[in-house]
Short mmCIF file of all heavy atoms in Angstrom, two decimals:
data_model
loop_
_atom_site.label_atom_id
_atom_site.label_comp_id
_atom_site.label_asym_id
_atom_site.label_seq_id
_atom_site.Cartn_x
_atom_site.Cartn_y
_atom_site.Cartn_z
N LYS A 437 88.84 -144.07 75.87
CA LYS A 437 87.74 -144.21 76.84
C LYS A 437 86.47 -143.55 76.39
O LYS A 437 85.41 -143.76 77.04
CB LYS A 437 88.20 -143.69 78.14
CG LYS A 437 89.36 -144.40 78.84
CD LYS A 437 89.44 -143.99 80.28
CE LYS A 437 89.66 -142.50 80.43
NZ LYS A 437 89.71 -142.08 81.80
N TYR A 438 86.53 -142.67 75.34
CA TYR A 438 85.38 -141.91 74.93
C TYR A 438 84.23 -142.85 74.68
O TYR A 438 84.36 -143.87 73.92
CB TYR A 438 85.64 -141.08 73.76
CG TYR A 438 84.62 -139.96 73.62
CD1 TYR A 438 84.75 -138.69 74.19
CD2 TYR A 438 83.49 -140.21 72.74
CE1 TYR A 438 83.77 -137.76 74.04
CE2 TYR A 438 82.46 -139.20 72.62
CZ TYR A 438 82.69 -138.02 73.24
OH TYR A 438 81.66 -137.06 73.06
N PRO A 439 83.10 -142.64 75.33
CA PRO A 439 81.96 -143.64 75.28
C PRO A 439 81.40 -143.76 73.75
O PRO A 439 81.12 -142.83 73.17
CB PRO A 439 80.90 -143.07 76.21
CG PRO A 439 81.22 -141.74 76.38
CD PRO A 439 82.73 -141.56 76.22
N ARG A 440 81.36 -145.09 73.32
CA ARG A 440 80.71 -145.34 72.12
C ARG A 440 79.39 -146.07 72.35
O ARG A 440 79.40 -147.13 72.98
CB ARG A 440 81.68 -146.31 71.17
CG ARG A 440 82.66 -145.52 70.40
CD ARG A 440 83.87 -145.22 71.25
NE ARG A 440 85.15 -144.89 70.40
CZ ARG A 440 86.20 -144.35 70.90
NH1 ARG A 440 86.39 -144.19 72.15
NH2 ARG A 440 87.17 -144.03 70.02
N THR A 441 78.33 -145.47 71.94
CA THR A 441 76.96 -146.11 72.30
C THR A 441 76.17 -146.05 70.94
O THR A 441 75.06 -145.58 70.90
CB THR A 441 76.26 -145.23 73.37
OG1 THR A 441 76.21 -143.81 72.89
CG2 THR A 441 77.01 -145.27 74.71
N MET A 442 76.66 -146.73 69.92
CA MET A 442 76.04 -146.67 68.63
C MET A 442 74.65 -147.12 68.51
O MET A 442 73.74 -146.45 67.91
CB MET A 442 76.99 -147.44 67.58
CG MET A 442 76.51 -147.31 66.12
SD MET A 442 76.59 -145.58 65.57
CE MET A 442 78.42 -145.33 65.30
N GLU A 443 74.39 -148.29 69.10
CA GLU A 443 72.95 -148.77 69.01
C GLU A 443 71.98 -147.77 69.62
O GLU A 443 70.85 -147.52 68.96
CB GLU A 443 72.79 -150.22 69.71
CG GLU A 443 73.53 -151.25 68.90
CD GLU A 443 73.13 -152.67 69.54
OE1 GLU A 443 72.17 -152.71 70.37
OE2 GLU A 443 73.94 -153.56 69.26
N ARG A 444 72.25 -147.29 70.73
CA ARG A 444 71.35 -146.31 71.45
C ARG A 444 71.28 -144.99 70.58
O ARG A 444 70.17 -144.46 70.34
CB ARG A 444 71.82 -146.02 72.84
CG ARG A 444 70.93 -145.10 73.63
CD ARG A 444 71.28 -144.97 75.00
NE ARG A 444 72.65 -144.25 75.05
CZ ARG A 444 72.80 -143.04 75.13
NH1 ARG A 444 71.79 -142.16 75.02
NH2 ARG A 444 74.04 -142.44 75.22
N ASP A 445 72.45 -144.56 70.09
CA ASP A 445 72.47 -143.35 69.24
C ASP A 445 71.62 -143.59 68.00
O ASP A 445 70.86 -142.62 67.59
CB ASP A 445 73.94 -143.09 68.81
CG ASP A 445 74.82 -142.70 69.91
OD1 ASP A 445 74.25 -142.50 71.11
OD2 ASP A 445 76.03 -142.66 69.76
N ILE A 446 71.65 -144.71 67.34
CA ILE A 446 70.82 -145.01 66.11
C ILE A 446 69.37 -144.89 66.45
O ILE A 446 68.56 -144.18 65.75
CB ILE A 446 71.21 -146.31 65.47
CG1 ILE A 446 72.62 -146.25 64.89
CG2 ILE A 446 70.16 -146.70 64.53
CD1 ILE A 446 73.19 -147.58 64.42
N ALA A 447 69.01 -145.43 67.50
CA ALA A 447 67.58 -145.44 67.95
C ALA A 447 67.08 -144.01 68.18
O ALA A 447 66.04 -143.57 67.77
CB ALA A 447 67.35 -146.26 69.16
N MET A 448 67.95 -143.14 68.83
CA MET A 448 67.57 -141.75 69.06
C MET A 448 67.39 -140.95 67.74
O MET A 448 66.51 -140.17 67.52
CB MET A 448 68.64 -141.15 69.99
CG MET A 448 68.61 -141.73 71.37
SD MET A 448 69.94 -141.02 72.41
CE MET A 448 69.29 -139.40 72.77
N LEU A 449 68.41 -141.23 66.84
CA LEU A 449 68.31 -140.46 65.60
C LEU A 449 67.17 -140.91 64.75
O LEU A 449 66.55 -140.07 64.03
CB LEU A 449 69.67 -140.68 64.81
CG LEU A 449 70.92 -140.04 65.47
CD1 LEU A 449 72.10 -140.48 64.64
CD2 LEU A 449 70.78 -138.50 65.57
N GLU A 450 66.83 -142.17 64.64
CA GLU A 450 65.66 -142.67 63.89
C GLU A 450 64.37 -141.99 64.53
O GLU A 450 63.52 -141.60 63.72
CB GLU A 450 65.60 -144.15 64.04
CG GLU A 450 66.64 -144.86 63.15
CD GLU A 450 66.50 -146.36 63.25
OE1 GLU A 450 66.16 -146.93 64.29
OE2 GLU A 450 66.77 -147.00 62.19
N LYS A 451 64.35 -141.87 65.83
CA LYS A 451 63.12 -141.29 66.49
C LYS A 451 62.97 -139.81 66.00
O LYS A 451 61.87 -139.35 65.88
CB LYS A 451 63.21 -141.40 67.98
CG LYS A 451 61.98 -141.01 68.66
CD LYS A 451 62.16 -141.19 70.19
CE LYS A 451 60.82 -140.78 70.95
NZ LYS A 451 61.03 -141.07 72.42
#
Side-chain angles (χ1 to χ4, degrees):
K437 293 194 304 177
Y438 195 87
R440 277 83 165 170
T441 55
M442 185 63 76
E443 286 189 17
R444 185 174 64 86
D445 294 349
I446 289 170
M448 294 176 72
L449 293 173
E450 286 181 328
K451 188 175 179 180

